[in-house]
Amino acid sequence: MDGPPMRMVTVWLPDWSAVAAGFRPEQLAAVMHANRVVARTAAAAAEGVVIGQRRRQAQRRCPDLVLADHDVARDAREFEPVVRAVAEFSPRLDVVEAGWVSLAARGPSRYFGGDAELSDVLLEAIGSAVGVTGTGVGGTGGPVGVGVADGRFASSAAARLSVRRGSPVLVEAGGSAAFCAPLPIGWLQTLGECDPEMIDLFIRLGLRRLGDLAALTASDVLGRFGHPGVHAHQLASGADHRLPSTTDPSPERRLDHVLDDPVAQAAAVVFVAKQLADELAQALSAEGRVCTRLVVQLETEHSERSERSWFRSAGLNAAAMVERVRWQLDAWINLPRGSDQEITGGIALIRLTPDEVRADVGSQLGLWGGQSEADRQAARSVARLAMLTSDEAVTVPVWNGGRLPADRYRWVPASMVDFDQRQRATSAAGTGSGPVGPWPGSLPSPSPATVFAEPHPVEVFDKAGQPVKVSGRGVVSAGPAQFRLLTGDEASGWRRGRLRQVAAWAGPWPIDERWWEPERHRRLARFQMVTDDQRSYLVIAEHRRWWISALYD
Amino acid sequence: MDVAVRDINDDVPGNIAGKQVNDVADPGTGTPASLASVLAALGDRVAPVSMAREQMLPVAGHVTKLFSEGGLVRGRVLSCRGMAATSASLDLVAAAVAAGSWLAVIDVPTLGLDAASELGVPLERIVAIDTSLGGKTTAANVAERAARWADVVAAAADGFEVMLTRVPAEVTASTVRKVATRLQQRGVVMLVLGDPGPLVCDGVIDTIDQVWSGVGAGWGHLQQRTVDMSASGRRVPGRRCVSLALPFGAEVTSSEHDAAATALDNEPPLLSAVS
């Protein structure tokens, strides 16, 4: 823990998801995840579209906004040219996430004659890689920030600041503490170092700037906040000591797998990687350590190689490692033809090397949270179930949001989900009135317990036996009195079920969704119907047809 | 078995155990009589007694009446039937999942997650498994599918303490026996929706009657229902009934029940003029 932290240079491309989605900065566009903006173009930002905004608010600020769904794999894939451009300067670079790369600054900086010169050549190289122009904001591919400082955290902060200032931010050696002091404490969370709960606590205690936290003595912070607090304190005081304090892991820690039959399917490679990652994570956790930097090496039968180092401050668990392998593989497969080290054969070797490990002080676990034995058993069982069936057959729910019951959750493959982060991901969901607040236009509680992915067709009649119609203005021709299920299909003729009498009904609740997107536009009216035997149905009328979309059973 | 032993070890408070061991070790106080009594006490503690509490998963307070044991006994298979079967099954597992067990949902792709969450099931501990592998079940692969269902249930028994499933129609009696043995070994509670087929159920949770309130002839919206549930079956002595308000889980008294029953016939709530 002696001596100044290692000098690092960080390159940050804000709103990378928007660039990866193929939007140009002058286009009004944003990338959405769970109804919130996660990235937007420069033009949209100028119109007032802010990250974290709801879709409706964003569209109010900017009615012509083009929206795209967030896709982590796409971000990683499109980021490959940038990584390759930066790798020209130093092979020892860490990809933190798509749009964010750090590398040790000392060597390249000495070679190019100083930090300023290094920043300039980096900007130029990245610019030619993605069509971004040289200095900071503006250009054709979006802004680029470059920051040089002592320690990873300070340099990442400098890179972010550099985007705002429009020029590289260089913090002189030993100046990281002074540089960090005036920054808001929330940056610890933005840069992925701290839990939102802890930041919230700091703010409530009146520690609004990093300097306020740094002014406390380390032992007080340890006594009150434990190891995560000490970590935050170290970063705030510019003592980002993680790298030099770690020893090189012993070579036997390196895990590799030689595939006798080279495999061409990405899924098979990921499967092998999963086994390796599980083994590695287990071995490390048995020693009470966690890997913060992982080098993933892939080699084909024609001995083309891809090597990347991935960094995550909170530590990489097995699922996170697999995710990195998946990104790297995806990026490699999608390289343009004829480029250097293009993949031409099946993968023959997978090697995972934990390049940097630290003692696992349990920083990612909450006070009550943590992983119980049941959680570990379930995670193991999930892996085995995926082997038994397929990756896509074992799924977990993720909040998606929507007005219809079938839209509100999405089932995603369990292998793609980080079980440690799961609690937070789904508890942010809530059901209509969770932490995200009510979802306007959705039906109030109680919700149907059976939701059909594909609704069942029905016929609905009024008292006189005439079909009930709903007009474009949402007016019902007559009260529904009975309905019957249709089975079979249109081509071979419907088989009609028995008539069920409607004892009570409510509605119509019309919705007109995504009218700005012709192919996904839906316009329908919802009804709740209770039959005389007290069964309840969620019935929708769409395109002059009636469907049962859910049961309250 | 290993679960019971581990829990017993947890159960022995460190200071008491330590004190007794000291007593034994001390030659001054260790007369044969006290030694024997201490050993007997210790023997009682470490004997593999089956403690009812250890073999049970908790249920929410309002449904404890359905079970003579006061909870879901591990290793049992319950069949949920009737008009409110899905909600009832979610209501039964909610407390166990909230207490940290994981729920495997096998072949129930229609499960309404909003309803699960409203009934108190934490969604972060739900994993769904689809044994149809996305394909349609045809006459040719039906046996294969049933075998896969059994494999999946057996594998899931290692990591999940609660399961919610539908039994494939073509599953054979011998396969089902193996599955049931496995569930018992691992102490898994399985709730079956729909027809359990050859699977022998230890109990049947049936919805006898339900009454919805909050909706009328063109007004209101579904707000609440009172559900009369009964538990019966070979492991349930007698027949136990409970009347519940879902989703809020309060037990309904008979007067409230009548009020809810007549709610449908009421006129819509009129707006009163505000001067």
Side-chain angles (χ1 to χ4, degrees):
Chain A
M1 297 282 263
D2 296 321
M6 194 182 224
R7 196 136 175 90
M8 304 284 286
V9 51
T10 297
V11 177
W12 192 57
L13 291 90
D15 298 313
W16 175 254
S17 298
V19 181
F23 296 127
R24 302 178 60 75
E26 67 272 14
Q27 230 176 332
L28 290 167
V31 179
M32 312 290 299
H33 178 66
N35 207 38
R36 302 261 179 186
V37 176
V38 291
R40 77 279 198 236
T41 59
E47 295 277 329
V49 177
V50 182
I51 288 178
Q53 219 168 19
R54 282 163 180 270
R55 180 174 64 200
R56 196 179 287 223
Q57 288 168 326
Q59 282 173 332
R60 191 182 300 152
R61 294 267 174 85
C62 179
D64 300 332
L65 198 66
V66 181
L67 300 175
D69 280 332
H70 188 217
D71 180 355
V72 186
R74 177 183 64 203
D75 292 353
R77 198 164 58 229
E78 299 295 325
F79 195 54
E80 183 69 8
V82 178
V83 178
R84 286 178 164 254
V86 178
E88 297 287 315
F89 299 96
S90 160
R92 224 175 130 82
L93 89 168
D94 304 329
V95 185
V96 183
E97 59 184 49
W100 183 356
V101 183
S102 306
L103 58 150
R106 211 179 58 181
S109 164
R110 199 178 284 168
Y111 179 78
F112 287 106
D115 292 337
E117 286 77 5
L118 171 64
S119 309
D120 289 343
V121 289
L122 266 176
L123 279 173
E124 209 170 299
I126 295 166
S128 59
V130 284
V132 184
T133 53
T135 47
V137 187
T140 55
V144 184
V146 175
V148 189
D150 291 349
R152 197 187 299 270
F153 174 76
S155 80
S156 301
R160 270 164 210 244
L161 218 53
S162 132
V163 172
R164 293 194 197 164
R165 293 194 187 155
S167 60
V169 172
L170 313 172
V171 181
E172 71 277 21
S176 282
F179 166 75
C180 288
L183 296 175
I185 200 141
W187 280 43
L188 282 171
Q189 184 199 336
T190 326
L191 295 176
E193 302 285 359
C194 265
D195 285 343
E197 290 84 13
M198 176 157 272
I199 298 302
D200 186 47
L201 181 59
F202 283 149
I203 291 174
R204 278 184 286 140
L205 291 174
L207 306 171
R208 294 178 180 281
R209 315 237 152 235
L210 289 173
D212 299 340
L213 180 61
L216 304 175
T217 59
S219 56
D220 287 348
V221 175
L222 175 66
R224 176 66 181 79
F225 303 105
H227 287 289
V230 169
H231 177 59
H233 182 259
Q234 278 181 355
L235 297 182
S237 0
D240 193 356
H241 272 294
R242 277 163 301 182
L243 198 68
S245 71
T246 52
T247 50
D248 277 350
S250 47
E252 65 264 28
R253 190 58 76 230
R254 194 176 67 191
L255 282 176
D256 42 21
H257 190 97
V258 180
L259 297 150
D260 297 333
D261 287 328
V263 285
Q265 294 89 20
V269 178
V270 171
F271 184 72
V272 175
K274 191 161 178 56
Q275 291 173 337
L276 289 179
D278 282 339
E279 201 179 322
L280 181 58
Q282 207 159 14
L284 286 173
S285 79
E287 293 181 359
R289 288 154 169 257
V290 62
C291 168
T292 49
R293 192 157 77 163
L294 178 77
V295 178
V296 179
Q297 225 168 22
L298 301 168
E299 207 170 308
T300 67
E301 52 190 322
H302 302 153
S303 66
E304 293 117 347
R305 294 176 58 173
S306 160
E307 186 174 332
R308 284 274 168 282
S309 143
W310 298 90
F311 178 83
R312 186 180 178 203
S313 155
L316 291 148
N317 59 9
M321 291 181 194
V322 176
E323 200 174 34
R324 266 68 182 174
V325 174
R326 198 191 290 263
W327 290 346
Q328 182 172 339
L329 191 64
D330 214 26
W332 197 15
I333 290 171
N334 284 285
L335 272 185
R337 295 193 79 80
S339 52
D340 187 30
Q341 292 288 324
E342 185 198 351
I343 189 164
T344 58
I347 302 286
L349 173 85
I350 305 166
R351 176 175 293 155
L352 302 181
T353 315
D355 200 29
E356 193 182 312
V357 294
R358 64 165 164 79
D360 188 0
V361 290
S363 59
Q364 67 267 60
L365 306 182
L367 187 55
W368 320 114
Q371 231 190 0
S372 70
E373 186 59 31
D375 296 349
R376 272 189 288 275
Q377 278 180 356
R380 274 200 294 273
S381 183
V382 161
R384 202 158 41 242
L385 287 167
M387 253 192 286
L388 209 58
T389 53
S390 72
D391 239 9
E392 289 76 38
V394 183
T395 51
V396 292
V398 167
W399 167 252
N400 193 41
R403 297 192 182 88
L404 290 171
D407 295 344
R408 291 169 68 81
Y409 286 90
R410 220 156 23 97
W411 291 99
V412 299
S415 58
M416 290 174 65
V417 174
D418 185 347
F419 273 83
D420 277 359
Q421 306 289 321
R422 184 119 187 81
Q423 190 106 25
R424 208 165 295 148
T426 37
S427 61
T431 54
S433 58
V436 288
W439 193 277
S442 62
L443 290 177
S445 162
S447 302
T450 297
V451 178
F452 300 115
E454 297 196 3
H456 291 291
V458 279
E459 286 177 325
V460 180
F461 304 105
D462 61 11
K463 266 191 191 122
Q466 294 299 311
V468 178
K469 290 178 187 141
V470 184
S471 76
R473 289 178 170 262
V475 179
V476 191
S477 65
Q482 47 199 357
F483 67 85
R484 64 181 168 204
L485 268 171
L486 300 173
T487 49
D489 56 63
E490 199 148 22
S492 56
W494 296 107
R495 286 198 307 278
R496 292 177 163 76
R498 73 174 171 84
L499 274 177
R500 292 158 208 254
Q501 302 300 322
V502 176
W505 62 280
W509 297 291
I511 39 179
D512 195 354
E513 286 191 316
R514 303 195 195 92
W515 41 265
W516 55 91
E517 271 179 284
E519 63 273 22
R520 289 172 70 199
H521 178 201
R522 287 191 82 178
R523 190 168 161 205
L524 50 92
R526 293 161 295 174
F527 291 81
Q528 286 175 336
M529 294 187 191
V530 183
T531 55
D532 52 359
D533 57 356
Q534 290 295 320
R535 289 170 194 267
S536 298
Y537 302 85
L538 178 64
V539 184
I540 58 175
E542 187 176 16
H543 296 306
R544 298 189 189 153
R545 298 266 296 276
W546 291 82
W547 314 84
I548 288 179
S549 87
L551 303 180
Y552 293 85
D553 69 337
Chain B
M1 178 57 207
D2 58 338
V3 173
V5 169
R6 192 189 64 213
D7 287 336
I8 288 165
N9 287 339
D10 288 346
D11 198 27
V12 178
N15 54 350
I16 294 175
K19 184 167 169 284
Q20 284 169 342
V21 170
N22 284 343
D23 285 350
V24 175
D26 189 348
T29 56
T31 62
S34 74
L35 188 67
S37 68
V38 166
L39 278 178
L42 278 176
D44 279 348
R45 278 178 181 278
V46 297
V49 285
S50 55
M51 282 189 251
R53 187 74 49 83
E54 305 297 346
Q55 298 185 348
M56 256 187 327
L57 295 175
V59 291
H62 54 272
V63 281
T64 43
K65 271 197 173 180
L66 282 176
F67 304 98
S68 57
E69 302 88 357
L72 297 169
V73 178
R74 286 170 179 274
R76 292 220 174 147
V77 179
L78 297 174
S79 160
C80 293
R81 293 184 195 163
M83 292 184 283
T86 314
S87 303
S89 63
L90 290 171
D91 199 35
L92 291 181
V93 303
V97 181
S101 302
W102 283 65
L103 171 65
V105 180
I106 302 167
D107 284 342
V108 192
T110 56
L111 188 73
L113 290 164
D114 277 320
S117 177
E118 282 163 13
L119 290 166
V121 184
L123 302 185
E124 65 265 16
R125 282 196 286 279
I126 294 185
V127 177
I129 303 114
D130 176 22
T131 64
S132 70
L133 298 188
K136 280 251 185 242
T137 309
T138 58
N141 66 9
V142 96
E144 190 189 326
R145 160 111 195 252
R148 200 181 306 123
W149 174 83
D151 288 347
V152 163
V153 170
D158 284 337
F160 296 85
E161 290 181 312
V162 194
M163 290 185 200
L164 183 63
T165 187
R166 282 178 193 280
V167 182
E170 300 299 315
V171 71
T172 59
S174 62
T175 317
V176 144
R177 265 198 302 282
K178 276 183 214 151
V179 167
T181 318
R182 177 97 179 132
L183 294 177
Q184 245 164 19
Q185 271 174 358
R186 307 296 312 181
V188 177
V189 174
M190 181 189 257
L191 290 115
V192 179
L193 294 175
D195 181 13
L199 186 62
V200 180
C201 296
D202 299 302
V204 177
I205 308 291
D206 203 347
T207 322
I208 311 161
D209 193 19
Q210 69 171 359
V211 179
W212 279 99
S213 61
V215 63
W219 53 265
H221 66 86
L222 293 176
Q223 282 180 348
Q224 206 178 20
R225 57 177 153 178
T226 49
V227 184
D228 292 348
M229 287 200 285
S230 75
S232 57
R234 57 181 194 140
R235 300 285 181 112
V236 185
R239 187 179 152 93
R240 299 174 153 258
C241 294
V242 68
S243 190
L244 293 179
L246 286 180
F248 302 107
E251 199 176 330
V252 183
T253 60
S254 58
S255 64
E256 281 173 312
H257 198 300
D258 293 340
T262 52
L264 281 179
D265 307 327
N266 286 350
E267 285 301 302
L270 292 173
L271 293 178
S272 55
V274 178
S275 58

